[in-house]
Amino acid sequence: TPLYSSAASDVYKRQPEKISTEQGHQSPQADTVDQQTETRTDIHEYSTVREYFITTVVCSIFALFVTTYVVHPMTVPTPSMEPTILVGDRLLIDKFTIRNGFSPGLPLMPERDINRGEIVVFKFPRQPEILYVKRAIGLPSETLTIRNKIVHINGQPLDEPYKIHSDPYVQSPKEGNHFFSGYFKRDNYGPVKIPENSYFVMGDNRENSNDSRAWRFVPEGNIVGKAFAIWMHKKPGLHLPTFSRDGGIDSELQRLTE
């Protein structure tokens, strides 16, 4: 019996301490646990912010590398390449296989020459901050002549199934064009010798194109890449984008010439 009373007395003595702890202030052990919990929470929040920051930086660097050296999107604002490329087409530009061939100091990069008939994007020689898109017609060291709207390369007529002529009238060699300066010969031009490392480019819409007939040649160092695909089309103004023209530009040319 005394043993039971002693135990009961201990329990009774401890209850006020427990109650005072619950009603009053936390014990030192509880403060330590709370501090550890807050520290873990701060560390977790810092880790989350750091992960978002690192992910954003890595994605930005990757996107910059891709658009600089691999593929670049471009919007077409003019009708000079119709009917192959329409106003509002969004193009993808291959900058990996062509432009890097003109940039020294980039080892192990693929490179190849520009072929006749390829659609290239380049910095306008008179305003390098503006990008133009045209078709490569004359290659380095060739002699180009235009006679009655027909292009001749080294004396041989060039087959061009992609071009259109919106104006059937043929300007004589002595006539100019009111859009450009007097030396511009729309339908009769040359002969001219294309310099080394330069190209003669023209738009498919021959009567509505500001091209090499007006400002001569494109240095290869100005070439940004080759247009190889249409990924979206959006008409100017308040129109929703469409994907009906998605696909390679070569397939678009094939569709037009069938």
Side-chain angles (χ1 to χ4, degrees):
T1 303
L3 195 61
Y4 173 77
S5 298
S6 175
S9 177
D10 290 342
V11 171
Y12 177 78
K13 290 179 181 179
R14 290 171 185 170
Q15 283 180 349
E17 181 181 353
K18 181 179 180 182
I19 292 173
S20 64
T21 301
E22 291 176 352
Q23 293 178 347
H25 308 293
Q26 292 184 351
S27 65
Q29 293 84 355
D31 291 338
T32 303
V33 171
D34 289 342
Q35 291 175 358
Q36 292 176 349
T37 303
E38 291 177 0
T39 302
R40 292 194 189 101
T41 302
D42 293 340
I43 293 175
H44 177 72
E45 291 178 354
Y46 172 75
S47 300
T48 302
V49 172
R50 184 179 62 179
E51 288 177 3
Y52 278 120
F53 175 76
I54 293 176
T55 301
T56 301
V57 171
V58 171
C59 290
S60 299
I61 294 174
F62 178 76
L64 180 62
F65 174 82
V66 169
T67 56
T68 302
Y69 294 105
V70 183
V71 64
H72 181 77
M74 176 184 178
T75 301
V76 178
T78 67
S80 67
M81 284 300 296
E82 291 183 353
T84 310
I85 299 174
L86 306 181
V87 175
D89 279 348
R90 268 59 171 174
L91 307 180
L92 294 178
I93 312 305
D94 170 21
K95 301 174 71 174
F96 191 58
T97 60
I98 290 182
R99 179 175 185 258
N100 290 330
F102 302 141
S103 300
L106 295 174
L108 304 178
M109 290 292 186
E111 60 179 272
R112 65 174 180 83
D113 295 330
I114 295 174
N115 299 317
R116 190 188 328 280
E118 289 186 322
I119 298 176
V120 294
V121 175
F122 56 92
K123 298 176 182 178
F124 182 37
R126 295 180 179 178
Q127 292 180 278
E129 67 275 11
I130 299 177
L131 294 181
Y132 272 32
V133 54
K134 305 291 179 184
R135 193 181 295 273
I137 302 298
L139 305 181
S141 302
E142 293 182 337
T143 299
L144 180 142
T145 309
I146 302 176
R147 288 291 175 262
N148 299 328
K149 298 183 184 289
I150 299 176
V151 177
H152 294 73
I153 301 295
N154 296 331
Q156 299 299 317
L158 184 64
D159 181 28
E160 298 184 277
Y162 40 77
K163 70 174 182 176
I164 62 171
H165 291 285
S166 57
D167 182 8
Y169 176 73
V170 178
Q171 290 184 349
S172 71
K174 296 182 180 181
E175 292 182 80
N177 187 288
H178 67 280
F179 287 114
F180 306 106
S181 58
Y183 67 82
F184 175 78
K185 309 301 181 183
R186 188 186 74 176
D187 304 325
N188 288 275
Y189 181 90
V192 293
K193 177 82 170 181
I194 302 173
E196 289 285 341
N197 305 320
S198 296
Y199 296 86
F200 194 96
V201 299
M202 299 174 69
D204 291 354
N205 190 357
R206 291 295 159 84
E207 280 72 44
N208 293 280
S209 176
N210 179 18
D211 50 40
S212 288
R213 293 171 293 176
W215 33 262
R216 314 245 329 151
F217 313 107
V218 178
E220 67 178 14
N222 285 44
I223 294 177
V224 173
K226 171 191 172 183
F228 71 94
I230 301 170
W231 69 275
M232 189 178 73
H233 176 81
K234 182 183 181 301
K235 293 181 180 180
L238 300 176
H239 295 89
L240 293 175
T242 64
F243 301 91
S244 58
R245 288 178 51 78
D246 291 6
I249 292 180
D250 293 337
S251 61
E252 180 66 17
L253 175 61
Q254 183 179 2
R255 182 186 69 81
L256 293 171
T257 54
E258 286 178 351

